[in-house]
Structures are given as C-alpha cells and as structure tokens.
Amino acid sequence: MSVASKTSTKKRFLQFLAHKKLRITSQRQAIADTVFDTDEHFTAEQLLEWSRGRDKSVSRATVYRTLPLLTESGLVREMDFGKDYKFYDPNYAEHPNHNHLICQDCEKIVEFESEKIERIENEITHKLGFSLKSQRLQITGTCEELKKLGACKKKC
Ligand SMILES: [Zn+2]
Ligand SMILES: [Zn+2]
C-alpha cells in the first residue's frame, strides 16, 4: 500500500475513534501508527511487541481492547486460520478481495489476487441466486523454504 493511502487509512481509524467518543491516547496512537505502517499480517502478540517498539507504555490490555475497534472500523480484517489466535490483515481497506496463503509450519502469510477466482466466485454466486458481498479464500500449505531446506527461515 502506498504511504499516502496508509496515512489516510490511519486518519479514518482515528476519526472512527473520535466518532465513538473514544480518546486518542498516546498508546492508541502508537498502536494505530504500527498497524497502518505495516503490510504484514500480525497477531495480537506481534502487535503488542511492535507497538511497544514505538511506545514502551503500550499495554497488553490496550492492544486487546483496540483490536476489536480496528475490526469494527472495517479497516482491518480478522482472519482465522484455525489456530489458537487470530491474525489481522492491515491491507483490507485497500484490497478487500485479496486472498491468503499460510505456511502451516512457520505461519508465513502471502497475499494474492486472482481475477480467475473472482470470476468463478461470481459465477457460482450468480448461478445459485445470490449476490456476492464478500469473499475470502485461505489456503494452508507448506512454504518453499520448508520444502527446500526442511525448515522455515522465519521459524528459526
Ligand atoms: Zn492480507
Ligand atoms: Zn514456512
């Protein structure tokens, strides 16, 4: 995502907080800066670690309270890959139709878009008398490093 659109997505989130009459504390600001500054998908614990890199005062409780606000704002999407924890997608606002691959071992996440898949989804939806509102495709696999090296670099 471009820097300009990241900045405007962050602004939209801060406006969302203001609209809900929630204070934009320095902790929340640090969390928002972190979320809308990365293209990587993250877990709550990762977000905590990264946000603390910006502002040491960020607490676990604030991160866990801010995550539902992020998803409620519609700018971040929560993703369930069947693990004990969820992943969060900061690129949702800009690319609502992208799909994900995840490595079952190191949890590396790769995004992809495919016109072909979109066409098929539209076709199926249409055929069954529905109209498409949203879609998500998640593929679990093993990454190339695991195949080649027998281990994932990300995990080491
Ligand atoms: Zn994504
Ligand atoms: Zn891997």
Side-chain angles (χ1 to χ4, degrees):
M1 214 193 298
S2 69
V3 174
S5 68
K6 286 249 170 226
T7 310
S8 81
T9 313
K10 182 163 73 186
K11 225 188 244 160
R12 275 162 69 192
F13 180 62
L14 297 177
Q15 279 164 357
F16 170 83
L17 292 181
H19 196 74
K20 288 186 77 95
K21 308 253 186 299
L22 291 167
R23 270 195 321 128
I24 297 155
T25 57
S26 60
Q27 285 196 45
R28 282 216 172 101
Q29 181 73 51
I31 293 169
D33 286 344
T34 307
V35 168
F36 297 110
D37 226 30
T38 183
D39 279 322
E40 277 188 61
H41 302 68
F42 52 83
T43 61
E45 288 302 311
Q46 268 164 340
L47 179 58
L48 173 65
E49 194 187 312
W50 296 345
S51 303
R52 273 189 179 155
R54 283 176 192 264
D55 181 344
K56 275 203 279 284
S57 73
V58 172
S59 71
R60 179 171 274 113
T62 306
V63 166
Y64 279 85
R65 272 201 304 266
T66 306
L67 278 167
L69 293 168
L70 283 159
T71 52
E72 196 191 323
S73 73
L75 301 169
V76 171
R77 178 165 64 169
E78 187 181 85
M79 300 193 298
D80 191 339
F81 286 102
K83 311 251 175 202
D84 300 342
Y85 40 85
K86 306 278 197 283
F87 290 85
Y88 295 89
D89 188 348
N91 299 334
Y92 183 58
E94 290 292 309
H95 302 280
N97 287 323
H98 70 263
N99 303 296
H100 297 95
L101 268 162
I102 185 168
C103 173
Q104 64 178 21
D105 201 42
C106 67
E107 298 179 350
K108 170 177 164 169
I109 294 173
V110 177
E111 303 188 323
F112 66 96
E113 277 180 279
S114 160
E115 280 177 27
K116 227 189 229 168
I117 292 173
E118 255 181 79
R119 257 205 317 276
I120 294 169
E121 282 166 346
N122 273 315
E123 214 180 281
I124 294 169
T125 310
H126 204 77
K127 221 185 251 168
L128 299 177
F130 281 62
S131 44
L132 188 75
K133 288 286 180 215
S134 69
Q135 58 75 237
R136 56 176 72 184
L137 177 66
Q138 295 176 344
I139 300 174
T140 304
T142 49
C143 73
E144 208 171 6
E145 282 158 18
L146 184 67
K147 250 189 315 194
K148 264 199 262 181
L149 312 168
C152 309
K153 261 187 238 147
K154 202 182 158 200
K155 212 181 170 187
C156 301

